[in-house]
Amino acid sequence: GLQTPASERKAACAYCGGKNWISDIQAASQSHPNFGKLFPCPVCSAPERQRRYVESVHNLSEAERERSFREWKLLDSERTQALEAAKRIVELKWGWLTLWGEYGAGKTYLATAIVAECARVLTPARYWTMEALLDHLRHAYSPNRGEQAYSNLVSDLVECPVLVVDECAAFNPPPWAAAKVGQLAGERYRRASEAATVWVTNAEPKVGNPAAA
């Protein structure tokens, strides 16, 4: 039969391997709403398909999904600086940012607004609280899940274009979890020139904390 000349062939998408569809790696259990579902590749699919995928993985509630930078009140220079840093994360899709301040300062609002703004421009982004992230890692790490489930989850967390982790001050996990989060932080830091990571805490970051800038 006729074959397409090599010069006209399109290289297979590195994200989906040319399949045009991907699964949600984080849907590791049957209780997850995305378990067993396939989604259009966010890299090579049409914008509408990409939008559907981005909307399915951000982990935001309906109210959080509606948040935006426009609603952020510029009460002082620190809030202005925080907003500008958040905007750069969405625009550039790479970097390493720590948002910290006292309880009630609006950190979670800005953190979820980053993910919501990413979704509006079809950038895959995920929002996690530290507690929920540890629970997810613990579930994937369980012996009955097998090493592949855990490996796939970690790969997804490492490669996610924008990852936001909130409530880092509550970080007091068992040794295995501390090691895994430390590894994740290290991998994300090494990829800071090609992916964005945002840590959110109500305690001033210290050396040794995964949220330390």
Side-chain angles (χ1 to χ4, degrees):
L2 296 176
Q3 294 184 343
T4 303
S7 60
E8 296 181 10
R9 295 174 193 158
K10 292 184 179 180
C13 173
Y15 197 88
C16 68
K19 299 175 182 177
N20 301 120
W21 297 87
I22 62 172
S23 60
D24 182 356
I25 297 299
Q26 301 196 62
S29 67
Q30 293 184 357
S31 62
H32 195 287
N34 289 341
F35 182 80
K37 295 181 180 179
L38 291 177
F39 297 91
C41 174
V43 175
C44 66
S45 62
E48 176 59 22
R49 291 180 176 179
Q50 183 173 348
R51 184 194 66 77
R52 287 161 51 195
Y53 172 75
V54 169
E55 289 289 343
S56 72
V57 299
H58 51 55
N59 294 334
L60 300 178
S61 67
E62 290 186 14
E64 291 168 341
R65 179 63 182 84
E66 297 303 315
R67 292 176 177 175
S68 71
F69 293 151
R70 295 190 304 273
E71 304 299 324
W72 181 252
K73 296 180 180 179
L74 302 178
L75 302 177
D76 52 44
S77 60
E78 291 183 349
R79 289 175 68 87
T80 300
Q81 292 172 8
L83 177 61
E84 292 305 314
K87 286 182 175 179
R88 286 196 298 272
I89 288 292
V90 176
E91 178 183 358
L92 301 177
K93 304 177 184 63
W94 60 266
W96 181 269
L97 174 64
T98 301
L99 296 174
W100 66 277
E102 297 180 355
Y103 177 80
K107 302 179 300 299
T108 293
Y109 181 96
L110 190 57
T112 51
I114 288 174
V115 177
E117 294 284 7
C118 283
R120 292 186 182 100
V121 295
L122 302 185
T123 298
R126 296 186 185 274
Y127 170 82
W128 289 98
T129 63
M130 181 61 78
E131 181 180 7
L133 179 59
L134 289 177
D135 284 344
H136 214 65
L137 288 171
R138 185 181 301 109
H139 178 78
Y141 191 65
S142 62
N144 62 332
R145 293 294 307 166
E147 293 184 4
Q148 191 61 48
Y150 179 78
S151 177
N152 289 344
L153 171 60
V154 172
S155 295
D156 184 68
L157 291 170
V158 168
E159 297 172 6
C160 180
V162 178
L163 176 66
V164 178
V165 183
D166 198 357
E167 300 179 8
C168 292
F171 185 70
N172 187 27
W176 74 266
K180 298 305 179 184
V181 172
Q183 292 173 9
L184 172 62
E187 290 295 331
R188 295 291 303 189
Y189 186 77
R190 280 188 283 275
R191 299 187 70 249
S193 63
E194 53 190 88
T197 307
V198 181
W199 306 95
V200 187
T201 177
N202 60 8
E204 183 173 358
K206 298 178 181 179
V207 175
N209 186 308

